Amino acid sequence: MNDIVLSVRNLKKYFRPHRNLVQTVLKNTPVRPIKAVDDISFDITKGEIFALIGESGSGKTTTGKLIMKLLDPTGGSIFFNGQDVTHLSKKALAEYRKRVQMIFQDPYASMNPRFRIRDVMEEPLIIHKVGSHRKERHALIAKALQEVKLTPPEEFMNRWPHMLSGGQRQRVATARTLLLQPLLLVADEPVSMIDLSTRAEILHMMKEVQQDLGLSYLYITHDLSTARYFADRIAVMYLGRIVEVGPADEIIDNPQHPYTQALIQAVPEPIPGRVSTIKELPISGEIPNPSNIPEGCRFHPRCPYATEECKNQEEPVLVPLSTNSNHFHACRRAGQFTPIGKTSTQV
Ligand code: SF4
């Protein structure tokens, strides 16, 4: 299909852990790899916002780094605009980085505090040889700042990073990515370090930019409430695997996997006048060590509906909820239990 911007197939990233003292002395002791990303596949189409959701340790940030080519995959393939970009030469990587840009969690950390905003923004233009002279580059910077509603742009170009609020810094970070006319933005927790009061405003701005320019986003977050507002589709990751994926509203309103149901239950209720914090997950235990992934369904040690089959049979793979459905889940018992957080009369 022509409108697929990014296609990820069977992507894996295994890290080799350092040997501890006992393993070094006993040379034959096996050291298990840390399976941070363990065979995931998904597509992102032109103009689509695709969210990757999960607890810390689920592999979502590692997936973002693999797509940004900040890490090399252990296995699998990445295709961008139909081209295999899994392994790139230095020259091809520079071209790829123009088209796939990243918005970081902490925009301040990505800005040199001794540079004015115009210099912070001019840097990628100089690196990628865009604009033949300074005046031309400044015109591009002013246009990008207007795009993210930092006006008048000349005023913001003269400021230092410390003179901006968290929200304004994230706007500058977004404007900087736009300068190179990307097709895909990878946004890793872009609003988690911003005041609660400003988060919706920044996501709204990012969505406007995305719609105006027809961009695609990979939105990485632990926050289902923003993903519902922001994303077209949501993929839920658990211990390196995608366990549920589908249209955002469908995933939130009709979750099939118990892990997705637990994440939804942890979303705080908005109470006027009170700061809401993420609630504890209504499931026991913590995410297991990715170097020791449980046999069978990898979620079974924490799943309230696990049976002997879940532990002993092969790991469930993603299957459609019904024929021709674009909602997929990896739970062999989906539909056979009352979803977490609901009473049997609510099903
Ligand atoms: S397959 Fe079994 S253990 Fe895994 S999520 Fe479904 S019910 Fe739980």
Side-chain angles (χ1 to χ4, degrees), residues 191-201 223 274-277:
V191 292
S192 63
M193 293 186 72
I194 294 174
D195 272 355
L196 277 176
S197 55
T198 323
R199 281 182 194 177
E201 213 179 276
D223 184 357
R274 287 221 347 235
V275 175
S276 317
T277 49

Side-chain angles (χ1 to χ4, degrees), residues 245-347:
V245 57
D249 286 342
E250 173 70 14
I251 293 290
I252 305 287
D253 294 334
N254 188 24
Q256 297 298 309
H257 197 284
Y259 181 59
T260 314
Q261 293 165 3
L263 289 179
I264 291 169
Q265 284 305 306
V267 173
E269 309 278 337
I271 302 171
R274 287 221 347 235
V275 175
S276 317
T277 49
I278 297 274
K279 295 190 270 186
E280 276 201 21
L281 282 185
I283 46 174
S284 59
E286 304 223 324
I287 198 160
N289 186 332
S291 66
N292 193 12
I293 291 175
E295 296 285 320
C297 172
R298 63 187 63 204
F299 186 59
H300 86 253
R302 300 176 77 189
C303 181
Y305 310 113
T307 60
E308 283 305 308
E309 268 192 350
C310 300
K311 296 178 201 167
N312 302 330
Q313 292 201 351
E314 273 190 17
E315 178 157 23
V317 294
L318 287 169
V319 291
L321 181 55
S322 57
T323 317
N324 297 330
S325 171
N326 51 3
H327 179 175
F328 294 79
H329 63 81
C331 171
R332 68 173 78 250
R333 300 197 60 225
Q336 296 175 29
F337 49 80
T338 306
I340 293 175
K342 288 196 176 172
T343 59
S344 52
T345 50
Q346 288 177 296
V347 181

